[in-house]
Amino acid sequence: MSVSVRVIPCLDVDAGRVVKGVNFANLKDAGDPVELAHRYDAAGADELVFLDVTASTGGRGTMLETVTSAAEQVFIPLAVGGGVRRVEDVTALLRAGADKASVNTAAVVRPDLIGEIADRFGSQVLVLSLDARRTEDPGCPSGFEVTTHGGGVGTGRDAVAWCVEAAQRGAGEILLNSIDADGTGEGFDLEMIRAVRAAVRVPLIASGGAGRVEHFPSAVDAGADGVLAASVFHFGPDGMLTEVKRALREAGHPVR
């Protein structure tokens, strides 16, 4: 039996508000995170992702409060990332009501963190979040480079190789975000999705670039197990989630 494709709204949270920009810049307010979470739950979202976009420079108190409030109102899995640097950070998120923790920069800096979290909580709790961009750097033979700090810092590390390593270390799934496509509404980076899908077997969530309903089935055709988006849900027409699921179903992909 085929596993249903997950449709996942993403809420980037800054100072207690959901924000969204293009290529991680020119952020604009999209609303209250708890209100949006409740709305997406009611609209049929399969999961929600909260990302604390200023966690590297601020404290975690507000985000934990947001997670707790959202968890009290929604009944779908919550994955939370931003500022997860230690096993203890995951403990705090799970206690606040998160179902999964997402690691990004901290795992690049110290890859052992992946195994530490997976060993403590199980791989199903751990999501590797990866911001990748196209590059001609010969050190990245796949043509995609891992970046950190919201796409602002290149690492010289090959993105596909990093996905393979993270899965081997215990990451339960990979959230693959295209920095180049992020917020553009021009479609997912299908080449990047195919490259990672060919290299790893863990669930793969495609992120970055969704702007129209027809973009979502294409990402699943390329190998994504789930499709994540922000702008198209926050600022698009009412009923967008329903339309995305209809398009996926009509393309032959099972949805919940």
Side-chain angles (χ1 to χ4, degrees):
M1 180 177 178
S2 298
V3 177
S4 296
V5 174
R6 288 173 284 158
V7 179
I8 308 170
C10 181
L11 292 79
D12 295 324
V13 180
D14 180 12
R17 299 291 290 179
V18 176
V19 296
K20 189 57 189 172
V22 178
N23 305 128
F24 283 46
N26 301 315
L27 300 179
K28 60 181 178 179
D29 188 279
D32 178 81
V34 178
E35 290 178 4
L36 282 174
H38 185 268
R39 190 174 88 193
Y40 289 137
D41 184 18
D46 298 306
E47 292 184 16
L48 291 173
V49 169
F50 283 95
L51 295 178
D52 187 340
V53 296
T54 55
S56 60
T57 56
R60 298 201 52 82
T62 301
M63 192 62 179
L64 287 173
E65 292 168 7
T66 298
V67 172
T68 299
S69 296
E72 290 172 350
Q73 296 196 32
V74 305
F75 304 97
I76 54 177
L78 299 177
V80 184
V84 177
R85 303 178 185 91
R86 306 172 302 155
V87 168
E88 291 79 8
D89 296 328
V90 178
T91 299
L93 286 173
L94 296 179
R95 285 177 176 167
D99 299 279
K100 302 177 185 178
S102 170
V103 295
N104 190 331
T105 297
V108 175
V109 173
R110 194 172 70 83
D112 285 347
L113 177 64
I114 296 172
E116 291 168 6
I117 295 172
D119 288 345
R120 175 74 67 88
F121 304 104
S123 292
Q124 76 281 355
V125 164
L126 180 57
V127 181
L128 178 80
S129 181
L130 169 61
D131 297 322
R133 67 185 179 195
R134 289 176 175 266
T135 182
E136 296 181 359
D137 184 341
C140 299
S142 72
F144 302 104
E145 177 188 21
V146 177
T147 70
T148 61
H149 300 83
V153 179
T155 65
R157 184 190 290 252
D158 185 271
V160 174
W162 174 229
C163 289
V164 172
E165 179 181 343
Q168 291 173 340
R169 287 178 176 271
E173 65 182 36
I174 293 170
L175 171 54
L176 179 67
N177 184 55
S178 168
I179 290 297
D180 302 307
D182 182 81
T184 64
E186 296 177 359
F188 295 97
D189 190 326
L190 303 181
E191 184 181 351
M192 182 188 294
I193 296 168
R194 292 188 192 102
V196 174
R197 176 77 289 160
V200 301
R201 301 188 66 175
V202 298
L204 176 61
I205 310 302
S207 170
R212 299 194 303 274
V213 168
E214 57 265 30
H215 290 153
F216 292 87
S218 297
V220 180
D221 290 338
D225 300 285
V227 282
L228 179 145
S231 299
V232 71
F233 292 138
H234 300 339
F235 307 120
D238 290 341
M240 191 67 179
L241 260 166
T242 300
E243 291 302 314
V244 167
K245 288 199 169 187
R246 179 180 293 121
L248 288 166
R249 194 178 293 111
E250 289 175 352
H253 302 300
V255 294
R256 295 188 177 111

